[in-house]
mmCIF file of all heavy atoms in Angstrom:
data_model
loop_
_atom_site.group_PDB
_atom_site.id
_atom_site.type_symbol
_atom_site.label_atom_id
_atom_site.label_comp_id
_atom_site.label_asym_id
_atom_site.label_seq_id
_atom_site.Cartn_x
_atom_site.Cartn_y
_atom_site.Cartn_z
ATOM 1 N N LEU A 1 0.813 -1.220 0.000
ATOM 2 C CA LEU A 1 0.000 0.000 0.000
ATOM 3 C C LEU A 1 0.845 1.267 0.000
ATOM 4 O O LEU A 1 0.428 2.292 -0.540
ATOM 5 C CB LEU A 1 -0.923 0.012 1.228
ATOM 6 C CG LEU A 1 -1.981 -1.083 1.314
ATOM 7 C CD1 LEU A 1 -2.608 -1.099 2.702
ATOM 8 C CD2 LEU A 1 -3.044 -0.859 0.251
ATOM 9 N N PHE A 2 2.004 1.198 0.630
ATOM 10 C CA PHE A 2 2.855 2.378 0.803
ATOM 11 C C PHE A 2 4.170 2.192 0.049
ATOM 12 O O PHE A 2 4.980 1.341 0.416
ATOM 13 C CB PHE A 2 3.159 2.598 2.282
ATOM 14 C CG PHE A 2 1.971 2.932 3.129
ATOM 15 C CD1 PHE A 2 1.218 1.930 3.733
ATOM 16 C CD2 PHE A 2 1.595 4.252 3.345
ATOM 17 C CE1 PHE A 2 0.128 2.229 4.523
ATOM 18 C CE2 PHE A 2 0.502 4.570 4.140
ATOM 19 C CZ PHE A 2 -0.234 3.555 4.718
ATOM 20 N N PRO A 3 4.423 2.984 -0.984
ATOM 21 C CA PRO A 3 5.675 2.860 -1.740
ATOM 22 C C PRO A 3 6.861 3.564 -1.081
ATOM 23 O O PRO A 3 7.946 3.618 -1.655
ATOM 24 C CB PRO A 3 5.329 3.521 -3.082
ATOM 25 C CG PRO A 3 4.289 4.538 -2.740
ATOM 26 C CD PRO A 3 3.488 3.939 -1.614
ATOM 27 N N SER A 4 6.689 4.090 0.113
ATOM 28 C CA SER A 4 7.740 4.866 0.770
ATOM 29 C C SER A 4 8.992 4.037 0.998
ATOM 30 O O SER A 4 8.937 2.824 1.222
ATOM 31 C CB SER A 4 7.239 5.376 2.125
ATOM 32 O OG SER A 4 6.786 4.302 2.938
ATOM 33 N N GLN A 5 10.137 4.716 0.961
ATOM 34 C CA GLN A 5 11.404 4.040 1.243
ATOM 35 C C GLN A 5 11.422 3.525 2.684
ATOM 36 O O GLN A 5 11.887 2.427 2.957
ATOM 37 C CB GLN A 5 12.574 5.011 1.035
ATOM 38 C CG GLN A 5 13.946 4.418 1.357
ATOM 39 C CD GLN A 5 15.056 5.449 1.318
ATOM 40 O OE1 GLN A 5 14.806 6.650 1.416
ATOM 41 N NE2 GLN A 5 16.284 4.992 1.174
ATOM 42 N N TYR A 6 10.890 4.319 3.597
ATOM 43 C CA TYR A 6 10.923 3.973 5.003
ATOM 44 C C TYR A 6 9.635 3.293 5.453
ATOM 45 O O TYR A 6 8.539 3.677 5.053
ATOM 46 C CB TYR A 6 11.133 5.225 5.861
ATOM 47 C CG TYR A 6 12.518 5.813 5.757
ATOM 48 C CD1 TYR A 6 12.733 7.013 5.092
ATOM 49 C CD2 TYR A 6 13.614 5.168 6.331
ATOM 50 C CE1 TYR A 6 14.002 7.555 4.997
ATOM 51 C CE2 TYR A 6 14.884 5.706 6.243
ATOM 52 C CZ TYR A 6 15.075 6.902 5.573
ATOM 53 O OH TYR A 6 16.336 7.428 5.478
ATOM 54 N N ILE A 7 9.804 2.302 6.326
ATOM 55 C CA ILE A 7 8.691 1.666 7.024
ATOM 56 C C ILE A 7 8.992 1.792 8.510
ATOM 57 O O ILE A 7 10.026 1.313 8.988
ATOM 58 C CB ILE A 7 8.534 0.180 6.630
ATOM 59 C CG1 ILE A 7 8.333 0.027 5.118
ATOM 60 C CG2 ILE A 7 7.390 -0.457 7.406
ATOM 61 C CD1 ILE A 7 7.055 0.646 4.574
ATOM 62 N N HIS A 8 8.097 2.437 9.242
ATOM 63 C CA HIS A 8 8.327 2.694 10.665
ATOM 64 C C HIS A 8 7.751 1.551 11.492
ATOM 65 O O HIS A 8 6.597 1.163 11.317
ATOM 66 C CB HIS A 8 7.646 4.013 11.054
ATOM 67 C CG HIS A 8 8.240 4.675 12.260
ATOM 68 N ND1 HIS A 8 8.274 4.070 13.495
ATOM 69 C CD2 HIS A 8 8.827 5.894 12.433
ATOM 70 C CE1 HIS A 8 8.849 4.884 14.366
ATOM 71 N NE2 HIS A 8 9.196 6.000 13.744
ATOM 72 N N ILE A 9 8.558 1.024 12.412
ATOM 73 C CA ILE A 9 8.125 -0.127 13.211
ATOM 74 C C ILE A 9 7.997 0.218 14.695
ATOM 75 O O ILE A 9 7.899 -0.694 15.530
ATOM 76 C CB ILE A 9 9.054 -1.338 12.996
ATOM 77 C CG1 ILE A 9 10.521 -0.987 13.232
ATOM 78 C CG2 ILE A 9 8.884 -1.880 11.580
ATOM 79 C CD1 ILE A 9 10.959 -0.930 14.670
ATOM 80 N N GLY A 10 7.975 1.503 15.022
ATOM 81 C CA GLY A 10 7.820 1.887 16.422
ATOM 82 C C GLY A 10 9.076 1.542 17.209
ATOM 83 O O GLY A 10 10.100 2.192 17.086
ATOM 84 N N GLY A 11 8.971 0.492 18.032
ATOM 85 C CA GLY A 11 10.120 0.064 18.819
ATOM 86 C C GLY A 11 10.269 0.783 20.149
ATOM 87 O O GLY A 11 11.223 0.530 20.890
ATOM 88 N N ASP A 12 9.325 1.664 20.470
ATOM 89 C CA ASP A 12 9.445 2.472 21.685
ATOM 90 C C ASP A 12 8.649 1.883 22.833
ATOM 91 O O ASP A 12 7.715 1.106 22.632
ATOM 92 C CB ASP A 12 8.963 3.901 21.409
ATOM 93 C CG ASP A 12 7.497 3.931 20.983
ATOM 94 O OD1 ASP A 12 7.128 3.136 20.101
ATOM 95 O OD2 ASP A 12 6.725 4.747 21.526
ATOM 96 N N GLU A 13 9.005 2.287 24.023
ATOM 97 C CA GLU A 13 8.230 2.020 25.232
ATOM 98 C C GLU A 13 7.726 0.578 25.303
ATOM 99 O O GLU A 13 6.531 0.320 25.446
ATOM 100 C CB GLU A 13 7.057 3.003 25.321
ATOM 101 C CG GLU A 13 7.531 4.458 25.427
ATOM 102 C CD GLU A 13 6.387 5.451 25.471
ATOM 103 O OE1 GLU A 13 5.338 5.184 24.830
ATOM 104 O OE2 GLU A 13 6.536 6.492 26.120
ATOM 105 N N CYS A 14 8.672 -0.364 25.208
ATOM 106 C CA CYS A 14 8.325 -1.783 25.309
ATOM 107 C C CYS A 14 8.756 -2.297 26.681
ATOM 108 O O CYS A 14 9.940 -2.586 26.902
ATOM 109 C CB CYS A 14 9.012 -2.578 24.200
ATOM 110 S SG CYS A 14 8.680 -4.359 24.296
ATOM 111 N N PRO A 15 7.812 -2.406 27.625
ATOM 112 C CA PRO A 15 8.170 -2.940 28.946
ATOM 113 C C PRO A 15 8.703 -4.365 28.825
ATOM 114 O O PRO A 15 8.236 -5.155 27.992
ATOM 115 C CB PRO A 15 6.856 -2.902 29.720
ATOM 116 C CG PRO A 15 6.006 -1.899 29.000
ATOM 117 C CD PRO A 15 6.397 -2.033 27.550
ATOM 118 N N LYS A 16 9.660 -4.701 29.662
ATOM 119 C CA LYS A 16 10.287 -6.029 29.605
ATOM 120 C C LYS A 16 9.771 -6.957 30.695
ATOM 121 O O LYS A 16 10.297 -8.057 30.885
ATOM 122 C CB LYS A 16 11.809 -5.873 29.726
ATOM 123 C CG LYS A 16 12.446 -4.861 28.774
ATOM 124 C CD LYS A 16 12.202 -5.192 27.324
ATOM 125 C CE LYS A 16 13.005 -4.315 26.368
ATOM 126 N NZ LYS A 16 12.610 -2.893 26.393
ATOM 127 N N THR A 17 8.733 -6.524 31.429
ATOM 128 C CA THR A 17 8.234 -7.293 32.573
ATOM 129 C C THR A 17 7.875 -8.723 32.194
ATOM 130 O O THR A 17 8.335 -9.696 32.836
ATOM 131 C CB THR A 17 7.002 -6.599 33.179
ATOM 132 O OG1 THR A 17 7.343 -5.256 33.520
ATOM 133 C CG2 THR A 17 6.521 -7.338 34.417
ATOM 134 N N GLN A 18 7.068 -8.893 31.152
ATOM 135 C CA GLN A 18 6.631 -10.243 30.771
ATOM 136 C C GLN A 18 7.785 -11.058 30.205
ATOM 137 O O GLN A 18 7.842 -12.277 30.426
ATOM 138 C CB GLN A 18 5.494 -10.135 29.749
ATOM 139 C CG GLN A 18 4.204 -9.574 30.338
ATOM 140 C CD GLN A 18 3.077 -9.541 29.328
ATOM 141 O OE1 GLN A 18 3.292 -9.663 28.109
ATOM 142 N NE2 GLN A 18 1.845 -9.371 29.810
ATOM 143 N N TRP A 19 8.690 -10.429 29.500
ATOM 144 C CA TRP A 19 9.843 -11.151 28.966
ATOM 145 C C TRP A 19 10.733 -11.666 30.095
ATOM 146 O O TRP A 19 11.276 -12.766 30.014
ATOM 147 C CB TRP A 19 10.644 -10.250 28.031
ATOM 148 C CG TRP A 19 9.966 -9.954 26.712
ATOM 149 C CD1 TRP A 19 8.754 -10.392 26.299
ATOM 150 C CD2 TRP A 19 10.492 -9.165 25.652
ATOM 151 N NE1 TRP A 19 8.468 -9.921 25.045
ATOM 152 C CE2 TRP A 19 9.524 -9.166 24.610
ATOM 153 C CE3 TRP A 19 11.661 -8.450 25.472
ATOM 154 C CZ2 TRP A 19 9.722 -8.479 23.414
ATOM 155 C CZ3 TRP A 19 11.867 -7.765 24.274
ATOM 156 C CH2 TRP A 19 10.891 -7.782 23.256
ATOM 157 N N LYS A 20 10.870 -10.862 31.145
ATOM 158 C CA LYS A 20 11.692 -11.284 32.287
ATOM 159 C C LYS A 20 11.068 -12.481 32.994
ATOM 160 O O LYS A 20 11.771 -13.353 33.518
ATOM 161 C CB LYS A 20 11.855 -10.123 33.265
ATOM 162 C CG LYS A 20 12.778 -9.020 32.781
ATOM 163 C CD LYS A 20 12.878 -7.897 33.804
ATOM 164 C CE LYS A 20 13.816 -6.802 33.312
ATOM 165 N NZ LYS A 20 13.919 -5.673 34.278
ATOM 166 N N GLN A 21 9.748 -12.532 33.018
ATOM 167 C CA GLN A 21 9.037 -13.597 33.722
ATOM 168 C C GLN A 21 8.825 -14.836 32.862
ATOM 169 O O GLN A 21 8.405 -15.884 33.383
ATOM 170 C CB GLN A 21 7.680 -13.074 34.208
ATOM 171 C CG GLN A 21 7.773 -11.925 35.197
ATOM 172 C CD GLN A 21 6.429 -11.274 35.473
ATOM 173 O OE1 GLN A 21 5.438 -11.555 34.775
ATOM 174 N NE2 GLN A 21 6.380 -10.398 36.475
ATOM 175 N N SER A 22 9.112 -14.739 31.573
ATOM 176 C CA SER A 22 8.808 -15.826 30.633
ATOM 177 C C SER A 22 9.974 -16.793 30.489
ATOM 178 O O SER A 22 11.089 -16.390 30.163
ATOM 179 C CB SER A 22 8.468 -15.232 29.258
ATOM 180 O OG SER A 22 8.534 -16.200 28.250
ATOM 181 N N ARG A 23 9.695 -18.083 30.709
ATOM 182 C CA ARG A 23 10.729 -19.100 30.492
ATOM 183 C C ARG A 23 11.127 -19.141 29.020
ATOM 184 O O ARG A 23 12.307 -19.320 28.701
ATOM 185 C CB ARG A 23 10.207 -20.471 30.943
ATOM 186 C CG ARG A 23 11.222 -21.597 30.742
ATOM 187 C CD ARG A 23 10.677 -22.930 31.234
ATOM 188 N NE ARG A 23 10.415 -22.891 32.663
ATOM 189 C CZ ARG A 23 9.873 -23.913 33.327
ATOM 190 N NH1 ARG A 23 9.533 -25.033 32.684
ATOM 191 N NH2 ARG A 23 9.664 -23.817 34.625
ATOM 192 N N PHE A 24 10.140 -18.985 28.145
ATOM 193 C CA PHE A 24 10.440 -18.978 26.703
ATOM 194 C C PHE A 24 11.442 -17.877 26.364
ATOM 195 O O PHE A 24 12.434 -18.120 25.664
ATOM 196 C CB PHE A 24 9.156 -18.787 25.895
ATOM 197 C CG PHE A 24 9.390 -18.527 24.433
ATOM 198 C CD1 PHE A 24 9.643 -19.567 23.552
ATOM 199 C CD2 PHE A 24 9.390 -17.228 23.935
ATOM 200 C CE1 PHE A 24 9.887 -19.319 22.201
ATOM 201 C CE2 PHE A 24 9.626 -16.963 22.597
ATOM 202 C CZ PHE A 24 9.875 -18.020 21.734
ATOM 203 N N CYS A 25 11.188 -16.665 26.846
ATOM 204 C CA CYS A 25 12.080 -15.545 26.520
ATOM 205 C C CYS A 25 13.460 -15.730 27.154
ATOM 206 O O CYS A 25 14.488 -15.418 26.527
ATOM 207 C CB CYS A 25 11.452 -14.233 26.977
ATOM 208 S SG CYS A 25 10.010 -13.729 26.010
ATOM 209 N N GLN A 26 13.489 -16.216 28.373
ATOM 210 C CA GLN A 26 14.781 -16.421 29.023
ATOM 211 C C GLN A 26 15.589 -17.512 28.313
ATOM 212 O O GLN A 26 16.817 -17.404 28.170
ATOM 213 C CB GLN A 26 14.578 -16.768 30.499
ATOM 214 C CG GLN A 26 13.973 -15.639 31.321
ATOM 215 C CD GLN A 26 14.757 -14.341 31.215
ATOM 216 O OE1 GLN A 26 15.990 -14.336 31.384
ATOM 217 N NE2 GLN A 26 14.065 -13.242 30.914
ATOM 218 N N ASP A 27 14.906 -18.560 27.857
ATOM 219 C CA ASP A 27 15.600 -19.603 27.087
ATOM 220 C C ASP A 27 16.117 -19.040 25.766
ATOM 221 O O ASP A 27 17.227 -19.406 25.320
ATOM 222 C CB ASP A 27 14.650 -20.771 26.819
ATOM 223 C CG ASP A 27 14.371 -21.613 28.055
ATOM 224 O OD1 ASP A 27 15.111 -21.454 29.055
ATOM 225 O OD2 ASP A 27 13.410 -22.409 28.030
ATOM 226 N N MET A 28 15.333 -18.153 25.135
ATOM 227 C CA MET A 28 15.782 -17.566 23.876
ATOM 228 C C MET A 28 17.007 -16.682 24.101
ATOM 229 O O MET A 28 17.926 -16.661 23.266
ATOM 230 C CB MET A 28 14.656 -16.760 23.220
ATOM 231 C CG MET A 28 15.075 -16.014 21.969
ATOM 232 S SD MET A 28 13.697 -15.395 20.994
ATOM 233 C CE MET A 28 13.216 -16.899 20.142
ATOM 234 N N ILE A 29 17.013 -15.935 25.187
ATOM 235 C CA ILE A 29 18.177 -15.093 25.498
ATOM 236 C C ILE A 29 19.436 -15.957 25.590
ATOM 237 O O ILE A 29 20.493 -15.608 25.037
ATOM 238 C CB ILE A 29 17.937 -14.312 26.811
ATOM 239 C CG1 ILE A 29 16.901 -13.202 26.576
ATOM 240 C CG2 ILE A 29 19.238 -13.714 27.347
ATOM 241 C CD1 ILE A 29 16.463 -12.492 27.836
ATOM 242 N N LYS A 30 19.328 -17.098 26.261
ATOM 243 C CA LYS A 30 20.484 -18.007 26.382
ATOM 244 C C LYS A 30 20.844 -18.631 25.032
ATOM 245 O O LYS A 30 22.020 -18.702 24.651
ATOM 246 C CB LYS A 30 20.158 -19.103 27.393
ATOM 247 C CG LYS A 30 20.021 -18.593 28.821
ATOM 248 C CD LYS A 30 19.639 -19.730 29.760
ATOM 249 C CE LYS A 30 19.447 -19.212 31.182
ATOM 250 N NZ LYS A 30 19.029 -20.300 32.122
ATOM 251 N N LYS A 31 19.817 -19.048 24.315
ATOM 252 C CA LYS A 31 20.047 -19.714 23.025
ATOM 253 C C LYS A 31 20.738 -18.793 22.027
ATOM 254 O O LYS A 31 21.644 -19.216 21.291
ATOM 255 C CB LYS A 31 18.708 -20.185 22.447
ATOM 256 C CG LYS A 31 18.804 -20.808 21.065
ATOM 257 C CD LYS A 31 17.418 -21.148 20.530
ATOM 258 C CE LYS A 31 17.485 -21.662 19.103
ATOM 259 N NZ LYS A 31 16.134 -21.926 18.541
ATOM 260 N N GLU A 32 20.339 -17.532 21.990
ATOM 261 C CA GLU A 32 20.890 -16.581 21.027
ATOM 262 C C GLU A 32 22.131 -15.867 21.547
ATOM 263 O O GLU A 32 22.702 -15.026 20.851
ATOM 264 C CB GLU A 32 19.826 -15.541 20.648
ATOM 265 C CG GLU A 32 18.598 -16.117 19.962
ATOM 266 C CD GLU A 32 18.910 -16.710 18.596
ATOM 267 O OE1 GLU A 32 19.889 -16.249 17.951
ATOM 268 O OE2 GLU A 32 18.185 -17.626 18.159
ATOM 269 N N GLY A 33 22.546 -16.201 22.776
ATOM 270 C CA GLY A 33 23.738 -15.583 23.338
ATOM 271 C C GLY A 33 23.551 -14.108 23.633
ATOM 272 O O GLY A 33 24.490 -13.310 23.485
ATOM 273 N N LEU A 34 22.349 -13.756 24.067
ATOM 274 C CA LEU A 34 22.036 -12.355 24.341
ATOM 275 C C LEU A 34 22.324 -12.026 25.800
ATOM 276 O O LEU A 34 22.317 -12.906 26.667
ATOM 277 C CB LEU A 34 20.562 -12.078 24.019
ATOM 278 C CG LEU A 34 20.102 -12.455 22.603
ATOM 279 C CD1 LEU A 34 18.600 -12.256 22.454
ATOM 280 C CD2 LEU A 34 20.863 -11.657 21.561
#
């Protein structure tokens, strides 16, 4: 729909509370070496 060069994805104000509490996210952090 939009031929613009740029596509904005936000990326702001993302609380990490649920990621900290999530086994899935914590396993991904270890798996990806983050």
Side-chain angles (χ1 to χ4, degrees):
L1 296 168
F2 295 89
S4 56
Q5 178 188 20
Y6 289 109
I7 302 296
H8 204 300
I9 53 79
D12 61 312
E13 298 178 327
C14 178
K16 309 301 189 294
T17 304
Q18 291 183 345
W19 289 0
K20 287 179 179 179
Q21 298 170 349
S22 164
R23 180 179 297 177
F24 170 81
C25 290
Q26 294 305 310
D27 287 346
M28 175 166 281
I29 288 173
K30 293 178 182 178
K31 176 184 175 183
E32 298 294 333
L34 306 175

